[in-house]
Short mmCIF file of all heavy atoms in Angstrom, two decimals:
data_model
loop_
_atom_site.label_atom_id
_atom_site.label_comp_id
_atom_site.label_asym_id
_atom_site.label_seq_id
_atom_site.Cartn_x
_atom_site.Cartn_y
_atom_site.Cartn_z
N LYS N 202 3.42 18.20 -13.10
CA LYS N 202 3.68 18.17 -14.55
C LYS N 202 4.33 19.47 -14.99
O LYS N 202 5.22 19.49 -15.84
CB LYS N 202 2.37 17.96 -15.32
CG LYS N 202 1.85 16.54 -15.28
CD LYS N 202 0.64 16.44 -16.20
CE LYS N 202 -0.16 15.19 -15.94
NZ LYS N 202 -1.46 15.20 -16.62
N ASN N 203 3.85 20.59 -14.44
CA ASN N 203 4.39 21.89 -14.82
C ASN N 203 5.79 22.13 -14.27
O ASN N 203 6.64 22.71 -14.94
CB ASN N 203 3.48 23.02 -14.32
CG ASN N 203 2.16 23.02 -15.07
OD1 ASN N 203 2.11 22.66 -16.25
ND2 ASN N 203 1.09 23.40 -14.40
N LYS N 204 6.02 21.66 -13.06
CA LYS N 204 7.30 21.98 -12.41
C LYS N 204 8.42 21.02 -12.79
O LYS N 204 9.60 21.36 -12.71
CB LYS N 204 7.11 21.97 -10.89
CG LYS N 204 6.13 23.02 -10.40
CD LYS N 204 6.83 24.12 -9.62
CE LYS N 204 5.98 25.35 -9.52
NZ LYS N 204 5.48 25.64 -8.20
N LEU N 205 8.06 19.81 -13.20
CA LEU N 205 9.10 18.83 -13.57
C LEU N 205 9.51 19.10 -15.01
O LEU N 205 8.90 18.59 -15.94
CB LEU N 205 8.54 17.41 -13.47
CG LEU N 205 8.45 16.77 -12.08
CD1 LEU N 205 7.52 15.58 -12.11
CD2 LEU N 205 9.83 16.34 -11.59
N ASN N 206 10.54 19.93 -15.19
CA ASN N 206 10.86 20.29 -16.57
C ASN N 206 12.24 19.81 -17.02
O ASN N 206 12.74 20.21 -18.05
CB ASN N 206 10.71 21.81 -16.77
CG ASN N 206 11.41 22.56 -15.67
OD1 ASN N 206 12.24 21.97 -14.98
ND2 ASN N 206 11.10 23.83 -15.50
N MET N 207 12.86 18.93 -16.23
CA MET N 207 14.16 18.41 -16.64
C MET N 207 13.98 17.20 -17.56
O MET N 207 13.01 16.46 -17.42
CB MET N 207 15.05 18.08 -15.43
CG MET N 207 14.40 17.35 -14.26
SD MET N 207 12.97 18.15 -13.56
CE MET N 207 13.51 18.49 -11.92
N GLY N 208 14.89 17.04 -18.51
CA GLY N 208 14.71 16.00 -19.52
C GLY N 208 15.16 14.63 -19.06
O GLY N 208 14.34 13.75 -18.83
N ASP N 209 16.48 14.46 -18.92
CA ASP N 209 17.00 13.15 -18.53
C ASP N 209 16.99 13.00 -17.03
O ASP N 209 17.83 13.57 -16.33
CB ASP N 209 18.44 13.00 -19.04
CG ASP N 209 18.43 12.60 -20.50
OD1 ASP N 209 17.46 11.95 -20.93
OD2 ASP N 209 19.39 12.95 -21.20
N VAL N 210 16.07 12.20 -16.55
CA VAL N 210 15.93 12.11 -15.10
C VAL N 210 15.22 10.82 -14.70
O VAL N 210 14.45 10.26 -15.48
CB VAL N 210 15.16 13.37 -14.60
CG1 VAL N 210 13.70 13.33 -15.03
CG2 VAL N 210 15.26 13.55 -13.10
N ILE N 211 15.55 10.35 -13.50
CA ILE N 211 14.81 9.22 -12.93
C ILE N 211 13.96 9.78 -11.79
O ILE N 211 14.47 10.51 -10.94
CB ILE N 211 15.76 8.12 -12.40
CG1 ILE N 211 16.64 7.59 -13.54
CG2 ILE N 211 14.96 6.97 -11.78
CD1 ILE N 211 17.61 6.50 -13.12
N ILE N 212 12.68 9.46 -11.82
CA ILE N 212 11.76 9.98 -10.81
C ILE N 212 11.14 8.79 -10.08
O ILE N 212 10.64 7.87 -10.73
CB ILE N 212 10.64 10.80 -11.47
CG1 ILE N 212 11.23 11.97 -12.25
CG2 ILE N 212 9.64 11.30 -10.43
CD1 ILE N 212 10.23 12.69 -13.13
N GLU N 213 11.20 8.79 -8.75
CA GLU N 213 10.56 7.67 -8.03
C GLU N 213 9.49 8.16 -7.08
O GLU N 213 9.65 9.21 -6.46
CB GLU N 213 11.61 6.81 -7.31
CG GLU N 213 12.33 7.48 -6.16
CD GLU N 213 11.81 7.12 -4.78
OE1 GLU N 213 10.74 6.48 -4.68
OE2 GLU N 213 12.46 7.53 -3.82
N GLY N 214 8.41 7.39 -7.00
CA GLY N 214 7.32 7.75 -6.10
C GLY N 214 6.07 6.99 -6.53
O GLY N 214 5.96 6.62 -7.70
N HIS N 215 5.15 6.79 -5.60
CA HIS N 215 4.03 5.91 -5.93
C HIS N 215 2.95 6.58 -6.78
O HIS N 215 1.90 5.99 -7.02
CB HIS N 215 3.45 5.22 -4.70
CG HIS N 215 2.74 6.15 -3.75
ND1 HIS N 215 3.40 6.81 -2.77
CD2 HIS N 215 1.45 6.52 -3.67
CE1 HIS N 215 2.53 7.56 -2.09
NE2 HIS N 215 1.34 7.39 -2.64
N TYR N 216 3.20 7.81 -7.21
CA TYR N 216 2.31 8.36 -8.24
C TYR N 216 3.11 8.87 -9.44
O TYR N 216 2.59 9.60 -10.27
CB TYR N 216 1.40 9.46 -7.67
CG TYR N 216 2.05 10.30 -6.62
CD1 TYR N 216 2.83 11.39 -6.97
CD2 TYR N 216 1.93 9.97 -5.27
CE1 TYR N 216 3.47 12.13 -6.01
CE2 TYR N 216 2.58 10.71 -4.30
CZ TYR N 216 3.34 11.79 -4.68
OH TYR N 216 3.99 12.52 -3.73
N SER N 217 4.39 8.46 -9.53
CA SER N 217 5.22 8.91 -10.66
C SER N 217 4.67 8.41 -12.00
O SER N 217 4.91 9.01 -13.05
CB SER N 217 6.67 8.46 -10.48
OG SER N 217 6.76 7.06 -10.52
N HIS N 218 3.90 7.31 -11.95
CA HIS N 218 3.34 6.76 -13.20
C HIS N 218 2.19 7.61 -13.74
O HIS N 218 1.69 7.36 -14.82
CB HIS N 218 2.85 5.33 -12.96
CG HIS N 218 1.77 5.24 -11.93
ND1 HIS N 218 2.03 5.36 -10.58
CD2 HIS N 218 0.43 5.09 -12.04
CE1 HIS N 218 0.89 5.28 -9.90
NE2 HIS N 218 -0.10 5.11 -10.77
N LEU N 219 1.76 8.62 -12.96
CA LEU N 219 0.64 9.46 -13.40
C LEU N 219 1.11 10.67 -14.21
O LEU N 219 0.29 11.41 -14.76
CB LEU N 219 -0.17 9.95 -12.20
CG LEU N 219 -0.79 8.86 -11.31
CD1 LEU N 219 -1.51 9.47 -10.13
CD2 LEU N 219 -1.74 7.98 -12.12
N ILE N 220 2.43 10.90 -14.24
CA ILE N 220 2.95 12.01 -15.04
C ILE N 220 3.48 11.44 -16.36
O ILE N 220 3.69 10.22 -16.45
CB ILE N 220 4.06 12.78 -14.27
CG1 ILE N 220 5.21 11.83 -13.91
CG2 ILE N 220 3.51 13.43 -13.00
CD1 ILE N 220 6.37 12.53 -13.26
N PRO N 221 3.67 12.26 -17.37
CA PRO N 221 4.17 11.70 -18.63
C PRO N 221 5.61 11.19 -18.47
O PRO N 221 6.48 11.93 -18.03
CB PRO N 221 4.14 12.91 -19.59
CG PRO N 221 3.23 13.90 -18.94
CD PRO N 221 3.38 13.70 -17.47
N CYS N 222 5.83 9.91 -18.80
CA CYS N 222 7.15 9.29 -18.65
C CYS N 222 7.49 8.58 -19.96
O CYS N 222 6.60 8.03 -20.60
CB CYS N 222 7.14 8.23 -17.55
SG CYS N 222 6.49 8.77 -15.96
N ASP N 223 8.77 8.57 -20.32
CA ASP N 223 9.18 7.79 -21.50
C ASP N 223 9.14 6.30 -21.17
O ASP N 223 8.92 5.47 -22.05
CB ASP N 223 10.58 8.20 -21.93
CG ASP N 223 10.60 9.66 -22.35
OD1 ASP N 223 9.86 10.01 -23.29
OD2 ASP N 223 11.31 10.46 -21.71
N LEU N 224 9.37 6.01 -19.91
CA LEU N 224 9.46 4.62 -19.46
C LEU N 224 8.94 4.57 -18.03
O LEU N 224 9.31 5.39 -17.21
CB LEU N 224 10.95 4.27 -19.43
CG LEU N 224 11.40 2.87 -19.60
CD1 LEU N 224 11.20 2.49 -21.06
CD2 LEU N 224 12.90 2.79 -19.31
N VAL N 225 8.06 3.60 -17.74
CA VAL N 225 7.63 3.41 -16.35
C VAL N 225 8.08 2.03 -15.91
O VAL N 225 7.84 1.04 -16.60
CB VAL N 225 6.10 3.50 -16.19
CG1 VAL N 225 5.70 3.32 -14.72
CG2 VAL N 225 5.56 4.82 -16.71
N ILE N 226 8.74 1.95 -14.77
CA ILE N 226 9.10 0.67 -14.18
C ILE N 226 8.33 0.54 -12.87
O ILE N 226 8.51 1.35 -11.96
CB ILE N 226 10.62 0.56 -13.94
CG1 ILE N 226 11.37 0.74 -15.26
CG2 ILE N 226 10.97 -0.78 -13.27
CD1 ILE N 226 12.88 0.81 -15.14
N VAL N 227 7.44 -0.45 -12.82
CA VAL N 227 6.64 -0.67 -11.61
C VAL N 227 7.29 -1.79 -10.81
O VAL N 227 7.46 -2.89 -11.32
CB VAL N 227 5.17 -1.04 -11.96
CG1 VAL N 227 4.35 -1.23 -10.69
CG2 VAL N 227 4.54 0.01 -12.86
N LEU N 228 7.67 -1.49 -9.58
CA LEU N 228 8.23 -2.53 -8.71
C LEU N 228 7.07 -3.27 -8.06
O LEU N 228 6.13 -2.66 -7.57
CB LEU N 228 9.14 -1.92 -7.64
CG LEU N 228 10.36 -1.16 -8.15
CD1 LEU N 228 11.23 -0.70 -6.98
CD2 LEU N 228 11.20 -2.00 -9.11
N ARG N 229 7.13 -4.60 -8.10
CA ARG N 229 6.05 -5.42 -7.55
C ARG N 229 6.60 -6.29 -6.43
O ARG N 229 7.76 -6.72 -6.49
CB ARG N 229 5.45 -6.32 -8.65
CG ARG N 229 4.90 -5.59 -9.86
CD ARG N 229 3.65 -4.80 -9.55
NE ARG N 229 2.63 -5.56 -8.86
CZ ARG N 229 1.67 -6.28 -9.45
NH1 ARG N 229 1.60 -6.31 -10.77
NH2 ARG N 229 0.77 -6.95 -8.75
N THR N 230 5.77 -6.59 -5.44
CA THR N 230 6.20 -7.42 -4.31
C THR N 230 5.01 -8.26 -3.85
O THR N 230 3.90 -7.74 -3.75
CB THR N 230 6.67 -6.53 -3.13
OG1 THR N 230 7.69 -5.65 -3.60
CG2 THR N 230 7.23 -7.36 -1.99
N SER N 231 5.26 -9.51 -3.57
CA SER N 231 4.20 -10.39 -3.08
C SER N 231 3.53 -9.74 -1.87
O SER N 231 4.21 -9.28 -0.96
CB SER N 231 4.84 -11.72 -2.70
OG SER N 231 4.14 -12.28 -1.63
N PRO N 232 2.19 -9.69 -1.83
CA PRO N 232 1.49 -9.06 -0.71
C PRO N 232 1.92 -9.59 0.66
O PRO N 232 1.97 -8.84 1.62
CB PRO N 232 0.01 -9.38 -0.99
CG PRO N 232 -0.06 -9.51 -2.48
CD PRO N 232 1.24 -10.13 -2.88
N LYS N 233 2.25 -10.88 0.73
CA LYS N 233 2.72 -11.47 2.00
C LYS N 233 3.96 -10.75 2.52
O LYS N 233 4.07 -10.43 3.69
CB LYS N 233 3.12 -12.93 1.76
CG LYS N 233 2.05 -13.93 2.03
CD LYS N 233 2.61 -15.34 1.86
CE LYS N 233 1.68 -16.13 0.97
NZ LYS N 233 2.28 -17.28 0.33
N VAL N 234 4.90 -10.56 1.61
CA VAL N 234 6.15 -9.90 1.98
C VAL N 234 5.90 -8.41 2.24
O VAL N 234 6.47 -7.83 3.17
CB VAL N 234 7.20 -10.10 0.85
CG1 VAL N 234 8.47 -9.31 1.11
CG2 VAL N 234 7.51 -11.58 0.70
N LEU N 235 5.01 -7.84 1.45
CA LEU N 235 4.67 -6.42 1.61
C LEU N 235 4.10 -6.18 3.01
O LEU N 235 4.42 -5.19 3.67
CB LEU N 235 3.64 -6.03 0.55
CG LEU N 235 3.52 -4.55 0.22
CD1 LEU N 235 4.80 -4.00 -0.32
CD2 LEU N 235 2.38 -4.34 -0.76
N ARG N 236 3.26 -7.12 3.46
CA ARG N 236 2.65 -6.99 4.79
C ARG N 236 3.73 -6.84 5.86
O ARG N 236 3.67 -5.97 6.72
CB ARG N 236 1.80 -8.23 5.10
CG ARG N 236 1.18 -8.13 6.50
CD ARG N 236 0.69 -9.46 6.99
NE ARG N 236 -0.37 -9.97 6.14
CZ ARG N 236 -0.87 -11.18 6.20
NH1 ARG N 236 -0.44 -12.01 7.11
NH2 ARG N 236 -1.79 -11.59 5.37
N GLN N 237 4.75 -7.69 5.79
CA GLN N 237 5.85 -7.63 6.75
C GLN N 237 6.54 -6.27 6.72
O GLN N 237 6.79 -5.66 7.75
CB GLN N 237 6.88 -8.72 6.38
CG GLN N 237 6.99 -9.88 7.31
CD GLN N 237 6.28 -9.72 8.64
OE1 GLN N 237 5.12 -10.09 8.79
NE2 GLN N 237 6.96 -9.16 9.64
N ARG N 238 6.83 -5.80 5.50
CA ARG N 238 7.55 -4.53 5.37
C ARG N 238 6.73 -3.38 5.94
O ARG N 238 7.26 -2.48 6.58
CB ARG N 238 7.87 -4.25 3.90
CG ARG N 238 8.91 -5.19 3.37
CD ARG N 238 9.45 -4.65 2.06
NE ARG N 238 10.12 -5.70 1.33
CZ ARG N 238 10.32 -5.67 0.03
NH1 ARG N 238 9.88 -4.65 -0.67
NH2 ARG N 238 10.95 -6.66 -0.56
N LEU N 239 5.41 -3.40 5.68
CA LEU N 239 4.57 -2.29 6.15
C LEU N 239 4.34 -2.37 7.65
O LEU N 239 4.20 -1.35 8.32
CB LEU N 239 3.25 -2.26 5.37
CG LEU N 239 3.41 -2.01 3.86
CD1 LEU N 239 2.06 -2.05 3.16
CD2 LEU N 239 4.10 -0.68 3.57
#
Side-chain angles (χ1 to χ4, degrees):
K202 284 186 195 168
N203 291 328
K204 298 249 162 111
L205 281 163
N206 48 17
M207 44 304 243
D209 279 332
V210 70
I211 300 180
I212 301 170
E213 67 100 350
H215 69 272
Y216 36 85
S217 64
H218 60 285
L219 301 177
I220 59 175
C222 308
D223 297 301
L224 207 73
V225 181
I226 301 173
V227 181
L228 299 184
R229 302 291 309 271
T230 305
S231 148
K233 266 184 229 159
V234 174
L235 201 61
R236 178 196 298 170
Q237 250 348 91
R238 290 195 198 158
L239 297 178

